[in-house]
Amino acid sequence: MRTDSSPGSLPAREHLPAAAAGTPVLDVVVPVHNEERDLKPCVWRLHEHLTRTFPYAFRITVADNASTDGTPHVAARLAADLAAVRSVRLEQKGRGRALRTVWSASDAPVLAYMDVDLSTDLNALLPLVAPLISGHSDLAIGSRLARSSRVVRGAKREFISRAYNLILRGSLQARFSDAQCGFKAIRRDVAQVLLPLVEDTGWFFDTEMLVLAERAGCRIHEVPVDWVDDPDSTVHIVHTAAEDLKGVWRVGKALATGSLPLDRLARPFGDDPRDRDLTGVPQGLARQLVGFCVVGALSTLFYLLLYSGFRHFAGSQLANALALLVSAVANTAANRRLTFGVRGRGGAVRHQAQGLVVFGIGLALTSGSLAALSAATTDPGHSTELAVLIAANLAATVLRFLLFRAWVFPDPQPAAPSPQPHLPEPHLPEPHLPDPQRTWSDAR
């Protein structure tokens, strides 16, 4: 995964201002590779639909990625015949590469793409981009798996699509329903921050972008679509599925190791009450408690297994100390990442050192309980030792959570705003708004 650049903060969601006449609000990219037969009817149909139904200026960009047939000539002819169409030629193949290149250079505030076969009904295009224009959402995707979607396709493709999305939900905790539908849109300001983090240049580009967007806190809007399978599709299902699974493994590994700088994508939302700083109210306490309990249960099981193993060749005190030390290191690492959401390697050594201090307190509690048991009984049974240790660990667990939350992983305190000098309000002239009728005419 790319970690060599700092992407910066995501922008706050705001309604897009009215664009000047001739400035496209929407840039629809049609990535193509050897599509000389389908390209012309696709672009003409899309252009006619946008001219008739879309209330803003638009642009259609044909992104030809290394076609070897007559696709470049067809694209150039379309750009010459239609003022709202342009053609971009890339000498390297890859749908993701084509989208990244065009989206990165576009001046339109809303960027979209669709497959050249137009399997998705175009009536879903305006509902797709409207939440992005209004500032409600950051990305929008067409979903063939929504309950109200109407889809016509073979059983094999249906099975593959649903299986793939189940894999995403199970491995990457994705919450969106359809990663592969070729019908998506994103705000340009969000794309400028996310695209440098997306590594894939092929078919997995969509999935990787959506997973990173979701992990960064972006809002993804889903639109049910009507979709009819293209029987002449040139997509190689087996090869694409293999590449997608490789991408899932790569992204999952990067997220697990914290090598993705998603912590730098803090969004200044300001419009969601859940994101407001409330004095005296702990942030994320319920979620942290659940995560800590899950990690604690697994750590206790791990500790007991280690203790039982060490007990075969060591005394109870040494076996307890070794088992607690190993499980404490694992417990601190798991709570750091899963419970308190600390990503990256910054401060990891300090957190482990503080975790060892907490471990020392737990060791004192459990060792003290063993010492008390030995004083009370000359030859305690193994099951009695385990019962005493479980009780002592429960007490140590409560104390560990309090220390983790208040000392090891405290909530960051917002910086106090610096006082701003009072300046007189400048007198601004009345804004000149473009004539709506003229803007509509130019859009047509």
Side-chain angles (χ1 to χ4, degrees):
M1 302 298 299
R2 291 188 173 133
T3 59
D4 56 343
S5 61
S6 176
S9 298
L10 288 165
R13 299 190 193 104
E14 295 179 353
H15 195 296
L16 294 177
T23 302
V25 171
L26 173 67
D27 192 348
V28 183
V29 182
V30 183
V32 290
H33 175 74
N34 292 343
E35 298 286 357
E36 61 178 348
R37 186 186 61 161
D38 295 333
L39 180 57
K40 182 177 179 179
C42 161
V43 172
W44 272 99
R45 179 182 165 194
L46 175 59
H47 185 273
E48 187 276 333
H49 177 84
L50 288 171
T51 302
R52 180 170 47 86
T53 66
F54 194 67
Y56 301 96
F58 64 87
R59 177 195 299 134
I60 300 172
T61 302
V62 179
D64 171 29
N65 52 108
S67 293
T68 56
D69 61 358
T71 298
H73 303 290
V74 177
R77 185 63 184 171
L78 288 168
D81 293 342
L82 300 171
V85 176
R86 67 168 179 162
S87 174
V88 176
R89 166 75 176 181
L90 287 82
E91 298 302 330
Q92 289 180 292
K93 187 179 177 182
R95 184 184 68 169
R97 178 180 287 109
L99 290 176
R100 188 206 317 277
T101 301
V102 176
W103 281 355
S104 298
S106 179
D107 59 347
V110 176
L111 312 169
Y113 96 88
M114 61 182 60
D115 292 335
V116 70
D117 56 16
L118 294 185
S119 295
T120 305
D121 182 49
L122 292 178
N123 287 327
L125 182 56
L126 184 55
L128 183 81
V129 301
L132 309 187
I133 295 174
S134 69
H136 174 271
S137 301
D138 303 294
L139 298 90
I141 64 174
S143 176
R144 299 163 296 184
L145 304 181
R147 291 187 176 182
S148 55
S149 298
R150 294 180 292 181
V151 178
V152 179
R153 61 174 167 179
K156 181 173 69 173
R157 286 181 176 267
E158 181 76 11
F159 172 78
I160 292 174
S161 180
R162 291 188 178 274
Y164 179 65
N165 283 281
L166 285 176
I167 291 173
L168 293 180
R169 288 177 178 268
S171 59
L172 301 179
Q173 288 79 51
R175 295 190 298 271
F176 46 85
S177 66
D178 191 354
Q180 294 177 313
C181 182
F183 197 71
K184 296 182 176 69
I186 185 173
R187 287 175 64 108
R188 184 187 62 183
D189 49 12
V190 177
Q192 289 174 344
V193 180
L194 283 181
L195 290 183
L197 297 177
V198 181
E199 182 175 330
D200 191 80
T201 59
W203 293 96
F204 187 69
F205 174 88
D206 305 48
T207 302
E208 186 171 355
M209 180 181 67
L210 290 173
V211 170
L212 298 184
E214 195 171 67
R215 291 300 184 97
C218 295
R219 177 177 288 163
I220 301 175
H221 179 74
E222 297 197 16
V223 178
V225 297
D226 298 340
W227 195 87
V228 179
D229 190 17
D230 178 15
D232 299 325
S233 175
T234 59
V235 177
H236 300 287
I237 298 179
V238 176
H239 175 73
T240 302
E243 292 299 316
D244 285 346
L245 292 177
K246 291 180 182 178
V248 170
W249 170 259
R250 173 175 53 79
V251 172
K253 181 180 178 181
L255 292 173
T257 58
S259 60
L260 272 172
L262 293 180
D263 55 324
R264 304 175 192 169
L265 299 181
R267 168 191 287 284
F269 286 118
D271 57 351
D272 191 333
R274 293 170 298 180
D275 298 313
R276 297 173 188 166
D277 293 327
L278 302 178
T279 305
V281 179
Q283 300 296 315
L285 178 59
R287 180 189 61 79
Q288 290 179 357
L289 276 174
V290 172
F292 185 81
C293 289
V294 172
V295 172
L298 296 176
S299 298
T300 301
L301 179 60
F302 183 47
Y303 161 79
L304 293 175
L305 292 175
L306 290 174
Y307 177 81
S308 299
F310 292 147
R311 193 67 175 84
H312 289 298
F313 59 85
S316 60
Q317 293 287 1
L318 180 59
N320 173 63
L322 291 175
L324 197 58
L325 175 62
V326 176
S327 61
V329 173
N331 180 277
T332 301
N335 276 307
R336 181 179 187 271
R337 174 67 179 87
L338 301 177
T339 303
F340 297 97
V342 180
R343 299 182 175 89
R345 299 174 182 175
V349 175
R350 175 175 57 83
H351 292 154
Q352 282 293 348
Q354 292 172 311
L356 289 178
V357 174
V358 179
F359 149 75
I361 298 174
L363 177 62
L365 285 174
T366 53
S367 297
S369 63
L370 284 175
L373 178 63
S374 299
T377 307
T378 56
D379 188 18
H382 185 63
S383 59
T384 304
E385 285 184 351
L386 290 180
V388 170
L389 287 173
I390 289 174
N393 266 285
L394 287 177
T397 297
V398 175
L399 182 59
R400 186 183 304 122
F401 176 76
L402 296 177
L403 289 174
F404 272 177
R405 181 173 173 82
W407 180 47
V408 184
F409 308 110
D411 288 332
Q413 298 298 322
S418 57
Q420 298 293 330
H422 177 73
L423 298 176
E425 210 174 293
H427 175 71
L428 297 178
E430 291 294 325
H432 175 69
L433 297 178
D435 181 38
Q437 185 63 36
R438 183 179 178 185
T439 303
W440 171 243
S441 301
D442 292 338
R444 296 179 62 88

